[in-house]
Structures are given as structure tokens and as C-alpha cells.
Amino acid sequence: FRIFCLWLADALCILLSWAISVYAYKLLGFGNYHASAYLRIWPIVFVFTGINVFGRLYHGKATYPSFPLSPVEEFRRLVLSAVVTHVLVMAFLGFGHRVTEISRVVLVASCFLTALLAQPFRDVVRCILRKLNLGQISAVMVGDGVAGALARKVFDSSPYYGFKIAHHFHREELRDVVPYARERDIKHVLCCYKDNRYFTAQMPELTTWFSYILYIPTAQAFPVSDARAASVGFLGGLEMTNCRRMKLLALEKAIVDRVLAGLIFVLALPLFFLVPVLIKLTSRGPVFYRAERLGKRGRTIRVWKFRSMHVDADRRLDKLLASDSELKSEYERDFKLRKDPRVTLLGRLLRKTSIDELPQLFNVFRGEMALVGPRPIVEKEIAYYGKSYEIFSSVKPGITGLWQVSGRSDCGYDERVALDVHYILNWSPWLDLFIVYRTIAAVCLMRGSC
């Protein structure tokens, strides 16, 4: 049922994209319009969804659901699937000498819309399924420790994965796992052993019943986004690709950062004239605020923002923290306040829409920041990163990043650190594109910022 719903989301997405493109073409009067010619392209639905089947975009299998791809990999494959589908349609029309019946403008527009909307369509369907408690895949979880707790939290909170944990077995209950699952016809098991020797010992028993066994060895972060299974003789292994060490990809990121920053600056140029005027009209003080942060290799940089606080914000903060112990604890934990009284009325709007961060584009032009990267931190926060700080400081901080699109300020500090480290270890151009894509959605919905 879950696979069918995802298939239906893909089918509706490409049909709607095609219909919008055709209607816009007619409305704008670009050329001759023959509705019958466009209606004959309806098999494009099965081309798109068929490519998605081969791309393992329906929980791995089209007949029985396994663990889904990562959100970034799903995004990448959906975009590629949309492009390949429309290229095949173009080729088919060309070979049949009917290419003149269909506008290339419509094909390009439909391709762009399908690539843009496929992921949101799936997200909506997953949220509906979770809300109605439909299409949730029953699984049992085995093990304890940090990895088990984090995995359970993800499965319980995220509609993406679609797993419903029927029971969580701890170390002293291992002998009950298979009988419990067999009785309820549960074919999925998620293993998060604190001691990996338990998995080795229990593996023969698990394989007598379960169709899918997901093994999460530890809570340690390591590169997995471009990893693949490998075998050396009869030994199984995992080859991990460290994209951030590849010079050509690093050059690509630097170029793309500046090109996208330039494009955003041009589009946002009216705001660079309007916002300073509004700031001056609503509060006294300078237009810009420059905050000292740590950049690559721990160098101090000055991050630019539109001022969103009162000019005497530091004095107000000291007074506030001295009089309220709860707020002091919150600030010491997160280095920010969820309901910050120092923020001006206009500043709240600027923060909600993230317009206050637009001047950081100049930091990107200067080479101090990246468009996408881990969040810039102050020196006091180094302690929270511990041994991971060496990894964290090996790249430039970014205007947006993985933690911003994974809940923004709703994330706890430990999660922010984990997300920053995960981003660095698993960086790829597609991950950056995914984050930019998600950032646009987060900003438009004004979700999670404060």
C-alpha cells in the first residue's frame, strides 16, 4: 500500500507538471496548440514511474518494501529520472517524425516542474500516511545504546522512513525476537547493538525469519552518502567515498557558491535598498551588524547581517540573564533565546524570513564563507564539538546548512553538532543542492527560525 501511494504521488506529479506546462503554453500563446497531440503523451506516466522502479525509488523493491534510500539520494534519483524521462519522450517523438507536434518549450517546462515537484509530492503523501496511520511498515528493533536511542527517535518522529516499531527488544530479550516477529508476520528487523559481538552471534537466528535486516553498528559519524557494498573474497565490506578530499569537486563547489550567491544577490537587490530604510525608520542604530565567528581552520571572520536587535542588545542580555535563571540556562545551552526580547519588531520578520542573513553573501564573495556549510560558531562553542572540532573547522561555514533544513532552531545543540559533522563527512554537490532546495521551502514556510 505504501509503495502504491508513492507510485500515485509520482504519477500525479508528472501529470500535473505536464498539464501546467501545456496550459501555460496555450495561455501565453507561444505557438499552435493541438490538445489531441499532447493528450497522446499520457504513457509518460509509466515511463517516469518505470524508471523510478529501476532506480529503486519505491523502498528498494516494487513488490515488497525495504529500507528507503536516503532523502538526498532519493532527491538526486528523482531529478535524474525526470530528465531521462523527458529525453526519452523527445527521442521517441524525433524517431517518429512527430516532434513538430509537441513544443520543446512544453517538454523543458514539464521536465523542470517534475524535477522540482516530485520530492514535495512524496513528502505530502508520507505526511498524510503517517497522520492517518496508513502504510506504516511494521518492524522490530533490537539493541540499545546511543545508536538505538537515536534510531528510535528518528523512526518515531520522521514520516519519511515509514517504519512503525512494533517492539524494541533489549539485550536481555534477544531470544524472544524471532518468535515475536514470526507470530505477527513482521519481516523487518533494525539492529543497533552497543556491542557488535551480539549481532555476530545472533545473525544466524535472524536470517531464519527476517526478509530485511538493517544493521546500524555505532552512533559514530562516517561517510555513507556515496558508500557501496564491497567484497574481498568471502569477506564483506563497505567502501566509503570522501568527496571533500577531491580537488575537482572542491573547485566545483567554490564556483557554484559564487555563481549562486551572485544570482541570489541580483534577485534580492531591491531588499538591499528597502530593508536599510525600514531598519532606520523603526529603530535607532546602524543598518548592519557584524558578529565575530570562527571560520575555516579556526580563523576569526566577521559575519555580516542586517541588524535585527536593539542597539543595546548586549547590555539587555546581561541584565536579562542575571534576573532569569531559566533564560540563562537556555542561553548557555543553545547560545540563543527562543523568545529573545532583544529582537525588534522588524527584526522578528527579518529572522522569520531569513532576510537578515542576506548580507552574508558578501562573506561568500570574499571567500570567508560558503553558501552551504556548517553553521558559523563562536569560540565558546568549541567545547561542544570535542574531538569533532578538527573535522568541523576543516571547511568554511555556510549561510545555510543541514541543521537549518532539519528543523532549524527546533534542533537541540547535540543534534546541530551531529548534523554539522554528518554534512562534512558526507558532503557532495547533490547534498548542497538538496539543502538549497530545502532551505527555499523552509524560508517560504517560515519554519523553525526565531
Side-chain angles (χ1 to χ4, degrees):
F1 181 73
R2 186 176 186 83
I3 289 171
F4 171 75
C5 289
L6 291 175
W7 180 91
L8 190 62
D10 292 342
L12 290 174
C13 173
I14 196 165
L15 281 175
L16 183 63
S17 299
W18 188 256
I20 291 173
S21 302
V22 171
Y23 183 73
Y25 182 76
K26 174 188 176 182
L27 198 65
L28 297 173
F30 282 133
N32 295 326
Y33 175 79
H34 302 288
S36 59
Y38 291 100
L39 290 174
R40 288 200 297 269
I41 307 298
W42 64 266
I44 194 173
V45 171
F46 297 99
V47 176
F48 180 56
T49 55
I51 292 173
N52 288 350
V53 169
F54 285 106
R56 300 178 64 83
L57 283 161
Y58 298 111
H59 278 262
K61 301 285 181 68
T63 54
Y64 195 85
S66 62
F67 197 75
L69 298 168
S70 72
V72 178
E73 182 61 17
E74 180 180 89
F75 171 71
R76 183 182 78 87
R77 294 193 189 188
L78 284 172
V79 171
L80 293 178
S81 179
V83 172
V84 171
T85 297
H86 288 83
V87 168
L88 289 176
V89 170
M90 179 82 77
F92 173 77
L93 293 173
F95 282 121
H97 304 290
R98 291 183 294 176
V99 71
T100 54
E101 298 179 13
I102 304 295
S103 168
R104 293 175 181 84
V105 175
V106 171
L107 278 168
V108 172
S110 175
C111 178
F112 177 78
L113 282 176
T114 304
L116 191 67
L117 297 176
Q119 188 87 56
F121 265 70
R122 285 176 162 232
D123 289 345
V124 169
V125 165
R126 285 171 171 136
C127 287
I128 293 173
L129 289 176
R130 182 177 176 83
K131 190 79 172 177
L132 300 177
N133 196 28
L134 297 172
Q136 304 301 297
I137 304 164
S138 293
V140 292
M141 178 174 281
V142 183
D144 45 23
V146 177
L150 290 175
R152 181 64 189 268
K153 182 179 180 181
V154 170
F155 292 132
D156 288 346
S157 62
S158 173
Y160 179 84
Y161 298 97
F163 279 91
K164 179 173 65 176
I165 306 301
H167 192 77
H168 189 165
F169 292 89
H170 298 283
R171 190 169 60 185
E172 61 274 10
E173 306 171 289
L174 296 184
R175 66 179 62 185
D176 301 327
V177 177
V178 172
Y180 178 92
R182 193 190 299 273
E183 182 182 342
R184 292 160 179 79
D185 197 33
I186 296 173
K187 298 295 182 66
H188 296 75
V189 60
L190 315 172
C191 302
C192 306
Y193 298 90
K194 188 175 182 179
D195 187 335
N196 297 335
R197 290 175 296 179
Y198 286 106
F199 178 72
T200 304
Q202 199 182 18
M203 185 65 178
E205 182 186 1
L206 296 177
T207 55
T208 62
W209 172 253
F210 291 104
S211 300
Y212 297 105
I213 302 169
L214 173 63
Y215 178 45
I216 305 173
T218 67
Q220 296 288 328
F222 54 89
V224 292
S225 63
D226 202 20
R228 68 178 184 88
S231 61
V232 181
F234 61 88
L235 299 175
L238 190 67
E239 181 188 62
M240 295 169 280
T241 303
N242 189 359
C243 292
R244 67 191 179 101
R245 298 298 302 167
M246 298 180 180
K247 293 182 180 179
L248 189 60
L249 290 179
L251 177 62
E252 177 188 326
K253 178 175 174 61
I255 294 172
V256 170
D257 272 347
R258 284 172 171 78
V259 170
L260 287 179
L263 179 62
I264 295 170
F265 177 75
V266 171
L267 294 174
L269 197 57
L271 292 173
F272 280 94
F273 291 99
L274 176 62
V275 173
V277 174
L278 294 177
I279 290 174
K280 282 295 186 182
L281 290 175
T282 55
S283 64
R284 64 182 183 86
V287 169
F288 296 103
Y289 170 74
R290 291 189 300 173
E292 287 194 353
R293 297 289 185 267
L294 297 179
K296 187 175 181 180
R297 298 190 182 92
R299 291 195 297 263
T300 300
I301 61 174
R302 288 196 166 188
V303 175
W304 289 72
K305 286 188 175 187
F306 283 125
R307 182 173 59 82
S308 59
M309 291 187 178
H310 293 284
V311 71
D312 58 345
D314 291 337
R315 184 179 60 81
R316 293 189 183 202
L317 177 63
D318 293 338
K319 185 177 180 180
L320 189 66
L321 299 184
S323 60
D324 194 320
S325 58
E326 288 188 10
L327 287 179
K328 183 178 180 180
S329 298
E330 180 185 346
Y331 187 79
E332 289 176 347
R333 183 182 67 248
D334 298 333
F335 288 91
K336 59 164 53 179
L337 299 175
R338 189 171 296 275
K339 295 181 179 180
D340 199 330
R342 300 172 296 162
V343 180
T344 65
L345 189 62
L346 175 64
R348 296 188 190 282
L349 176 63
L350 296 180
R351 289 188 171 198
K352 276 287 184 184
T353 55
S354 296
I355 291 175
D356 65 317
E357 297 180 357
L358 282 177
Q360 291 176 32
L361 293 172
F362 295 113
N363 291 108
V364 176
F365 294 141
R366 287 165 57 91
E368 298 170 332
M369 293 181 66
L371 193 65
V372 180
R375 62 190 193 87
I377 64 171
V378 298
E379 193 168 349
K380 290 181 180 179
E381 295 176 85
I382 294 177
Y384 287 89
Y385 284 82
K387 295 179 180 179
S388 299
Y389 181 70
E390 185 176 351
I391 297 173
F392 175 84
S393 62
S394 66
V395 299
K396 297 175 184 177
I399 297 177
T400 186
L402 190 58
W403 79 272
Q404 288 95 326
V405 301
S406 301
R408 288 162 68 81
S409 60
D410 296 332
C411 289
Y413 204 99
D414 289 343
E415 291 177 87
R416 295 183 200 176
V417 173
L419 287 167
D420 282 339
V421 173
H422 178 84
Y423 167 81
I424 297 168
L425 293 178
N426 293 278
W427 174 82
S428 71
W430 278 101
L431 178 55
D432 275 3
L433 188 59
F434 175 81
I435 290 172
V436 170
Y437 180 76
R438 291 289 188 178
T439 298
I440 294 171
V443 169
C444 290
L445 296 173
M446 295 190 289
R447 185 179 67 239
S449 58
C450 61

